Amino acid sequence: MNRRSFLRLATLGCACCAVPACTTTGTGTAPGPVAIRTDLIPNGRFGRQRKFPLCVRYITIHSTGSRGGTAAAHARLLREGRIRAKTKWNRRGYNFWHFTVDDCEVVQHLPLSEAGEHADHDGPGNATSIGIEICEFREPARQRAAIERAARLAAWLRRRFGVPPDHVVPHYFWTMHRFNNWHKPCPRILMDGGRPGAKWEAFLRLVGRS
Ligand SMILES: [Zn+2]
């Protein structure tokens, strides 16, 4: 794709989506139990200097890997450009995603018209999925609350974008073609033995009920 046609797509939204970009920006009216707070990464900086359109077909669930780190703490790290890419395959120099969820709130970091860098570098996971990070806590009650809030968010996004139930996927789902087709054991708080099992199935049931 040449630069002119890329820019046109970036303006109009993804050509493969039935949903025009103007209806995929922002969050609309989120229901009370989701209550999204917006704290965006500065436009044009920290990964958002180079934009790829998001064509929403999946919702990818992660967990942060940093115990005790809240959604607000992650929002600040993203806003200050402190989550740098760890591999050369990251095209924008930073890791970033759409939402972080903890036991108290949902924070949105990125418009839903823009692809993040959270799943599989230049693979379909980043190009077609909304990225949700669930915060990790030692306290079981806080962890449970964060997981339940993430399920409510995923259920709401699924309805809003017409994402099929089996397109709510763990990060593990995406093949890391830059790393010998490795599958990252993420979200680790919902994996069994490093892969989706009973905990992941329970999460999907929670999404289905939310
Ligand atoms: Zn992940």
Side-chain angles (χ1 to χ4, degrees):
M1 183 185 300
N2 64 34
R3 179 171 164 75
R4 178 172 294 229
S5 51
F6 171 76
L7 287 174
R8 184 164 175 276
L9 274 184
T11 306
L12 297 178
C14 179
C16 67
C17 272
V19 185
C22 59
T23 64
T24 61
T25 50
T27 54
T29 305
V34 175
I36 294 165
R37 180 166 71 81
T38 304
D39 185 351
L40 297 183
I41 298 163
N43 197 7
R45 301 189 69 191
F46 308 141
R48 292 188 69 202
Q49 76 281 4
R50 186 180 179 199
K51 294 176 184 171
F52 297 106
L54 175 65
C55 181
V56 180
R57 298 202 184 288
Y58 289 85
I59 296 167
T60 302
I61 307 295
H62 308 260
S63 67
T64 58
S66 57
R67 286 210 178 90
T70 62
H74 282 86
R76 183 173 176 182
L77 292 173
L78 290 169
R79 193 188 336 115
E80 295 178 353
R82 288 161 60 193
I83 306 185
R84 304 297 294 253
K86 296 190 181 82
T87 84
K88 67 175 182 177
W89 302 114
N90 182 310
R91 298 163 295 175
R92 292 179 285 181
Y94 296 85
N95 292 328
F96 54 101
W97 52 92
H98 298 89
F99 298 99
T100 306
V101 184
D102 67 16
D103 52 334
C104 299
E105 64 174 347
V106 175
V107 182
Q108 182 175 2
H109 316 292
L110 190 65
L112 298 180
S113 55
E114 296 178 29
E117 289 280 349
H118 55 88
D120 56 357
H121 310 105
D122 53 350
N126 282 330
T128 66
S129 78
I130 295 172
I132 299 175
E133 287 274 1
I134 306 175
C135 293
E136 299 187 5
F137 296 104
R138 292 185 194 285
E139 304 88 336
R142 293 188 76 186
Q143 189 64 82
R144 184 77 195 155
I147 290 169
E148 287 175 356
R149 190 176 299 277
R152 290 197 295 272
L153 174 64
W156 177 68
L157 289 168
R158 199 175 75 63
R159 283 193 290 272
R160 181 148 190 260
F161 289 95
V163 173
D166 62 350
H167 282 204
V168 177
V169 297
H171 186 182
Y172 181 95
F173 174 82
W174 300 108
T175 303
M176 303 288 249
H177 72 108
R178 298 291 187 185
F179 289 88
N180 297 319
N181 294 334
W182 179 59
H183 289 260
K184 187 172 181 179
C186 176
R188 69 176 183 178
I189 58 172
L190 296 175
M191 294 290 104
D192 290 283
R195 54 175 54 217
K199 285 183 209 157
W200 176 254
E201 291 303 320
F203 178 76
L204 287 185
R205 285 197 296 276
L206 208 51
V207 175
R209 289 200 301 268
S210 297

